[in-house]
Amino acid sequence: MTDGTDAPRATENRSTTPASDTFRQYISSQWADRPHAEVPERPVAARAAERRARLSALYPGVRLVLPAGPAKQRSNDTDYPYRAHSAFAHLTGWGADTVAGSVLVLEPVGDGHAATLYFREGAGRDSDEFYANPEIGEFWTGPRPSLTEVASALGLATAGLEALDAVFALIGADLAVDPADGGAASTGVETLIVREADRALTDRLDGLRLLAGTTDGDIEVDPARDDELARDLSELRLVKDAWEIAELRRAVAATQQGFDDVIGDLPAIVAHPRGERLVEGTFNRRARAEGNTVGYDTIAASGPHACILHWTRNDGPVVPGDLILIDAGVELESYYTADITRTLPVSGTFTEVQRRVYEAVREAADAAFAIVKPGIRFREIHAAAMQVIAQKTAEWGLLPVSAEESLAPDAGYHRRYMVHGTSHHLGLDVHDCGQARREFYMDGIVEAGMVFTIEPGLYFQPDDLTVPEEYRGIGVRIEDNILVTADGAENLSAGIPRTADAVEAWMRSR
């Protein structure tokens, strides 16, 4: 990898400006005109404006700072692949092509807010940084969009990132004046920030808050109001609009292609001593081809690894006779992601015990899906699945009590074999809306337009002495992505085989 170390790194932005004036003059001359990177207009821009208006109505008179977040260091001078914060993407419509370090500010104006997107343009050929700064120089990064181009594509006012200093100067002035005293020198506008998005900006704001608070002896920053903002941003995403639903359909379709690819590659996967890695690589290739990347680290858990809920090391073999649990999802350029799990018999055919466990999980998933409609409480979905899990494990003699007794609030013996929840919301984040209040999430009323998973499972650890030996080491999960409709629900991933018979036929077809 080219590191640009021909000269000392003189600044924190890793400048490598050569000392030779002759070189500067030569590299700055004889370039053809080259346009900025194109930012195509996108239909989501109007939707994003509607979302900003909804947020504005919740915070009249309050300045809101919504960072995309900086690039994150992986090692020394290399960074992780960049991903903007989901709240930023939701409110701007900017996805995988977001410029790192961008910041959206909603400034209170009249009865609403004026939105401005701040970001740093790339360094073109009219600047030494074009070739000397690997962070922003277009010799290193390629062309970046201009302020004007982004403004046109997203329907937002834009400004250079350096102009954000004026916003923070205004914040400092606002904090220095108590609005209750009339605020002769300032409006005393309250400022809130998405705290987790950009630690440096959050620390900068907190520093101003501390300075303002020291006059009253207050030396702590109370993040409660920032937390309210994070909560409301989550709750704004609980119900998806038509454009978001279309994106999720596309993500599911791409994910189905990824599963097909894995089944097609099974001979090579089985032949490799770390076949789980090949599963991961095959799926990730499809994710990069059809979208932005994977929505989360792929779980390729073969044999007893399927009993480890978040197995992402993926370094084991894929052995005929075992099951392999694959939990994977493609994230699109818009950041919307699928989240689907299928459990497959590596040899192409379930054994009797594997089929028994698999079909029990599938029945639990079907029971949960059957009750989904507007008006139920979200937690009822989990209860419906767990009733089947309790019945099946009791029927097999695995519980010390009856299914009815195990389902009592103070019992839960069946939970030994399924400790996780059955559903979570899905969207920009694989576990979307995670900061919403319980009364809107787990205890919330299901509404048309919500999208969430249904993913029951059974996991019999290889060393679990409460189950017969024939069950030990079997792990099964079936996960689908569910859209709530006006009068029921649609399984967006129903096209990916689910029943034991359909799975075996699917594997034969590849």
Side-chain angles (χ1 to χ4, degrees), residues 33 41 47 61 82 85 114 116 138 195 197 202 226 254 284 322 337 345 352 396 414 457 469 475 480 489 491 499-500:
D33 290 340
E41 293 187 17
R47 305 272 188 180
Y82 183 70
H85 192 277
T116 302
E138 292 188 351
R195 298 185 67 82
T202 298
D226 293 334
N284 288 10
D322 284 345
T337 184
E352 180 183 351
W396 300 336
H414 57 288
E469 187 173 356
D480 287 292
N491 184 347
T499 68

Side-chain angles (χ1 to χ4, degrees), residues 390 393 399 401-415:
T393 51
L399 306 182
V401 298
S402 68
E404 291 73 20
E405 291 171 308
S406 189
L407 286 164
D410 60 348
Y413 295 96
H414 57 288
R415 293 299 306 278

Side-chain angles (χ1 to χ4, degrees), residues 2-18:
T2 305
D3 64 6
T5 53
D6 290 341
R9 292 182 174 176
T11 67
E12 64 180 6
N13 65 12
R14 309 201 291 261
S15 175
T16 56
T17 307

